[in-house]
């Protein structure tokens, strides 16, 4: 049984249809990439899965049950965490408090919370150094790490990553993707959305291409990387950084 | 020779503390829900009359005007504060659910009219229950003027000041140190992102309205012994407090507290000089502050780094 299954999911902003009858499957312990140009509907899709936007049609099944009517905070409790586009860390709170908020719904005992903070600090040593600094003092790359670590504090079964490379220097992008690979080794399913398709497809088992709200192509990461049309549209200018 | 100035300072700080409490109550709903309760003044009056009614029952008096001066003694006054706070908080939940929530997150400012309307309703219910006559809430520490550095102040003024300071420090600590406080600040920054943390944003907003209204009710109980309670007294306090919040910056709780205190003290000193200039001074001050800093003195919004 698939961990996440979208059946003909549609999302509208008033008359604008941002996602048009998209059907997507993510199995447990699978990394799936969604690639598409700016404005194709990638963020809307992830927001729909996370519960930030009500779908205008279709179903979202998670672990076998339809969650499309649940509010966002309930979906977090079920095991879906989103690291949103633009990172959206809480700028006026410390790095540590941002992480603590990530585990808000789990009501951890103090010792357990400390242990899990430590786990994140192991994976993101830069965050440990800056634990007591306000999140707004972090660099863009550090904020991205914080956003991912914060999402992981919810102990998700499915991690949604919205353009984790956006606005970051190539070297830092490489770092982010190294971490995504590590996460996969920890048995978390990942749905990653990227404009820079090259790296995403390299680490993904499977991928989907979204164009103006519609899923137009799907296949394994390698298949998509080889597809000439996709190379022309999404990989043309991108040089390999990995 | 300095005594009048010290006296003006103390009573300015006392009434400023009340302004600060109410200013804070405006800030709480503004930051979490982007709305303001424009019937906050009615909640102040309501809190005072709930307090007086509780004293009526506890003292066994037969009418509001027959409450003995000693009625607020002992634990009675803290009990009155608690009951008024809790009841006002509960009505705050009602106003949020009935008059604010239907309009949150939607364009337009329908909540301005609906909260004003709710206030009119609350005031009329109050008039039905208590009548239009002013009533006295006996001061818990009596009315004998005490001397501080040669200046005469009433014990209630010092009590108001200390209570306001204690409540505000407690609030500040709660917001900065507790789990719920951190979640509240997350909601204030971005309800959407907060919901991604598993925070129940609706529940937080209800809590914000309850806390805000409770503060207004408590402010009413604190100020009533100094200024004689009437169902119309709240509006003036709420207007001044709102002015203080604007001066300090509605989006910044500490700024609002500062603005409330500043307004109380300035008003008091202007009154010392020319009583009739007090109100005008307040509004001149607002205009100057807003001309220089449109978001209030401390209301600058955080800029996010990319
Ligand atoms: N809040 C919104 N209101 C109206 N239209 C929106 C909103 N957010 C996104 N859109 C529109 O929906 C479409 C998809 O946007 P988005 O999901 O952000 O794309 P992507 O993440 O792929 O760049 C775009 O046409 C965009 O203009
Ligand atoms: Mg996007």
């Amino acid at each position: 049984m698939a961990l996440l299954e979208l059946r003909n999911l549609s999302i509208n902003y008033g008359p604008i249809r941002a996602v048009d009858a998209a059907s997507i499957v993510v199995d447990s312990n699978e990394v799936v990439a969604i690639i598409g140009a700016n404005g194709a509907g990638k963020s809307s899709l992830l927001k729909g899965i996370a519960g930030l936007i009500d779908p205008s049609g279709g179903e979202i099944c998670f672990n076998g049950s339809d969650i499309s009517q649940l509010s966002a905070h309930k979906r977090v409790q079920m095991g879906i965490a989103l690291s949103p586009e633009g990172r959206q860390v809480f700028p006026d709170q410390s790095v540590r408090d941002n992480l603590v908020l990530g585990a808000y719904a789990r009501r951890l005992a103090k010792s357990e919370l400390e242990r899990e903070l430590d786990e994140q600090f192991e994976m993101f040593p830069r965050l440990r150094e800056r634990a007591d600094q306000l999140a707004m003092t972090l660099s863009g790359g550090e904020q991205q790490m914080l956003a991912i670590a914060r999402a992981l504090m919810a102990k998700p079964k499915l991690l949604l990553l919205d353009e984790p490379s956006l606005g970051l220097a190539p070297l830092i992008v490489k770092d982010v993707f190294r971490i995504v690979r590590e996460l996969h080794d920890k048995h978390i399913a990942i749905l990653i959305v990227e404009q820079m398709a090259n790296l995403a497809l390299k680490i993904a088992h499977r991928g989907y291409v979204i164009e103006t709200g519609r899923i137009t192509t799907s296949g394994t990461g390698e298949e998509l990387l080889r597809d000439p049309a996709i190379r022309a549209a999404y990989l043309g200018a991108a040089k390999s950084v990995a | 020779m300095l005594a009048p100035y010290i006296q003006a300072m103390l009573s300015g700080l006392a009434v400023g503390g009340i302004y600060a409490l109410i200013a804070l109550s405006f800030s709480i709903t503004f930051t979490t829900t982007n709305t303001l309760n424009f019937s906050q003044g009615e909640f102040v009056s309501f809190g005072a009359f709930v307090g007086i009614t509780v004293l009526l029952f506890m003292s066994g008096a037969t009418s509001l005007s027959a409450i003995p001066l000693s009625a607020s003694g002992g634990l009675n006054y803290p009990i009155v504060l608690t009951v008024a706070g809790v009841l006002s908080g509960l009505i705050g939940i009602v106003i949020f659910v009935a008059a604010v929530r239907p309009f949150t997150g939607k364009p337009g400012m329908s909540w301005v009219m609906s909260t004003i309307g709710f206030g009119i309703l609350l005031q009329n219910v109050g008039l039905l229950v208590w009548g239009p006559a002013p009533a006295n809430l006996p001061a818990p520490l009596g009315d004998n003027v005490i001397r501080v550095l040669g200046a005469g102040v009433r014990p209630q003024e010092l009590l108001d000041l200390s209570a306001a300071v204690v409540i505000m420090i407690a609030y500040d600590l709660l917001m900065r140190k507790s789990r719920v406080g951190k979640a509240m600040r997350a909601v204030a920054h971005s309800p959407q992102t907060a919901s991604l943390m598993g925070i129940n944003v609706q529940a937080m907003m209800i809590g914000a309205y309850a806390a805000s209204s409770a503060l207004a009710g408590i402010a009413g109980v604190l100020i009533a012994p100094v200024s004689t309670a009437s169902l119309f007294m709240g509006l003036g306090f709420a207007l001044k407090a709102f002015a203080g919040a604007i001066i300090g910056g509605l989006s910044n709780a500490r700024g609002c507290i500062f603005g409330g205190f500043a307004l109380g003290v300035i008003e008091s000193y202007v009154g010392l000089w020319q009583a009739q200039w007090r109100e005008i001074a307040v509004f001149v001050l607002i205009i100057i502050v807003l001309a220089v800093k449109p978001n209030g003195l401390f209301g600058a919004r955080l800029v996010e780094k990319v």
Side-chain angles (χ1 to χ4, degrees):
Chain A
M1 182 186 64
L3 180 64
L4 176 78
E5 184 172 358
L6 308 183
R7 297 194 195 110
N8 294 315
L9 184 74
S10 294
I11 290 170
N12 278 47
Y13 300 99
I16 302 170
R17 172 148 289 197
V19 176
D20 194 5
S23 295
I24 283 175
V25 174
V26 181
D27 281 320
S28 15
N29 201 26
E30 194 180 29
V31 179
V32 174
I34 297 182
I35 57 176
N38 194 14
K42 305 182 296 297
S43 296
S44 302
L45 188 73
L46 290 195
K47 285 180 183 171
I49 299 170
L52 297 181
I53 315 175
D54 287 333
S56 46
E59 279 170 40
I60 306 170
C61 287
F62 185 70
N63 252 342
S65 51
D66 184 8
I67 59 165
S68 47
Q69 300 308 313
L70 291 184
S71 50
H73 73 273
K74 293 245 173 67
R75 297 191 202 186
V76 177
Q77 288 164 12
M78 293 189 72
I80 300 177
L82 168 63
S83 164
E85 183 173 8
R87 313 186 259 277
Q88 309 292 340
V89 296
F90 299 111
D92 58 337
Q93 306 209 40
S94 71
V95 167
R96 174 186 294 272
D97 284 349
N98 268 273
L99 294 174
V100 169
L101 281 169
Y104 183 85
R106 297 172 59 208
R107 300 185 156 276
L108 296 176
K110 185 128 182 69
S111 59
E112 230 174 320
L113 183 65
E114 287 303 324
R115 197 167 44 78
E116 297 213 3
L117 283 173
D118 217 56
E119 238 171 73
Q120 298 309 323
F121 288 147
E122 288 298 308
M123 193 163 11
F124 305 95
R126 294 285 283 171
L127 296 183
R128 190 197 297 276
E129 286 168 34
R130 293 165 193 272
D132 296 319
Q133 272 175 242
L134 294 185
M136 66 177 148
T137 65
L138 300 187
S139 71
E142 289 163 346
Q143 289 192 5
Q144 185 59 59
M145 304 291 179
L146 178 56
I148 295 174
R150 186 181 65 176
L152 290 172
M153 287 296 289
K155 206 146 200 121
K157 297 187 181 79
L158 172 67
L159 176 67
L160 309 172
L161 294 173
D162 195 346
E163 302 217 36
S165 72
L166 194 72
L168 300 184
L171 217 65
I172 298 168
V173 172
K174 213 175 122 180
D175 233 26
V176 170
F177 276 87
R178 176 184 55 76
I179 282 155
V180 173
R181 259 194 222 104
E182 276 178 38
L183 289 179
H184 172 244
D185 296 336
K186 297 191 173 184
H187 308 291
I188 298 172
I190 296 171
L191 182 58
I192 182 170
V193 147
E194 269 294 342
Q195 248 183 90
M196 295 282 106
N198 196 15
L199 279 173
L201 287 177
K202 268 188 186 155
I203 59 165
H205 299 106
R206 293 186 304 109
Y208 295 86
V209 177
I210 184 169
E211 286 171 36
T212 54
R214 294 182 151 271
I215 304 289
T216 52
T217 318
S218 67
T220 66
E222 283 151 41
E223 281 167 4
L224 294 179
L225 273 172
R226 279 198 307 266
D227 186 317
I230 291 170
R231 294 190 69 89
Y234 303 104
L235 307 172
K239 291 186 199 70
S240 175
V241 253
Chain B
M1 207 189 88
L2 274 175
Y5 295 99
I6 295 170
Q7 183 157 348
M9 172 60 89
L10 285 173
S11 48
L13 282 174
V15 73
I18 301 298
Y19 293 160
L21 275 183
I22 305 171
L24 175 62
S25 78
F26 279 117
S27 171
I28 291 173
T29 65
F30 184 73
T31 50
T32 46
T33 68
N34 262 318
T35 61
L36 294 162
N37 177 2
F38 278 106
S39 62
Q40 207 65 296
E42 279 69 36
F43 277 81
V44 173
S45 308
F46 175 81
F49 273 83
V50 166
I52 295 171
T53 309
V54 173
L55 284 184
L56 178 78
F57 288 132
M58 287 200 296
S59 66
T62 49
S63 74
L64 289 184
S65 52
I67 297 172
L69 287 178
S70 59
S72 296
L75 276 178
N76 288 5
Y77 194 70
I79 291 172
V80 164
L81 278 172
T82 311
V83 175
V86 169
L87 270 184
S88 305
L90 288 176
I91 297 184
I93 295 176
V94 175
I95 194 176
F96 176 72
V97 172
V100 179
R101 186 159 69 183
F103 309 114
T104 50
K106 302 217 173 78
M109 306 227 289
S110 313
W111 48 267
V112 174
M113 288 318 293
S114 64
T115 58
I116 291 175
F118 191 95
I120 295 172
L121 193 77
L122 188 59
Q123 188 171 63
N124 279 291
V125 171
L127 288 168
L128 277 177
V129 176
W130 292 295
N136 186 35
L137 200 166
L141 302 177
D143 283 318
N144 294 328
V145 170
I146 47 177
R147 296 268 148 206
V148 178
L149 301 171
V153 284
R154 291 153 82 184
Q156 184 66 22
E157 291 182 289
L158 295 180
L159 183 66
D160 282 357
L161 176 56
S162 344
V165 169
V166 167
I167 290 170
M168 287 180 293
I169 290 176
Y171 174 80
D172 203 72
L173 285 176
L174 188 78
M175 292 305 277
R176 269 154 224 286
K177 303 283 179 219
S178 78
R179 176 173 171 275
V180 167
K182 287 167 192 171
M184 199 70 124
R185 285 164 60 214
V187 174
H189 176 70
S190 160
Q192 278 219 336
T193 313
S195 72
L196 291 177
M197 307 297 109
I199 295 167
N200 185 343
V201 173
Q202 279 298 318
M204 286 291 161
M205 290 184 170
I206 289 174
Y209 258 82
S212 165
S213 306
L215 280 184
I218 287 170
V221 174
L222 288 173
I223 198 67
V226 199
S227 80
T228 308
S230 94
L231 283 169
F232 310 101
M233 75 167 183
L235 183 62
F237 283 106
L239 277 177
K240 297 280 175 54
F242 190 60
I246 297 283
I247 290 172
L250 259 177
S251 58
N252 182 323
R254 286 177 173 176
C256 283
I257 291 169
F258 172 86
F261 274 114
L263 204 72
V265 170
I266 289 168
E267 195 185 50
S268 181
Y269 276 112
V270 174
L272 194 63
W273 166 58
Q274 289 269 294
Q276 67 270 35
W277 281 91
R278 276 166 47 152
E279 317 291 314
I280 297 169
V282 169
F283 291 102
V284 169
L285 185 68
I286 294 183
I287 289 165
I288 294 174
V289 168
L290 291 189
V292 182
K293 301 208 74 174
N295 287 325
L297 291 177
F298 307 101
R301 297 236 44 116
L302 291 159
V303 183
E304 273 166 79
K305 208 184 229 168
V306 185

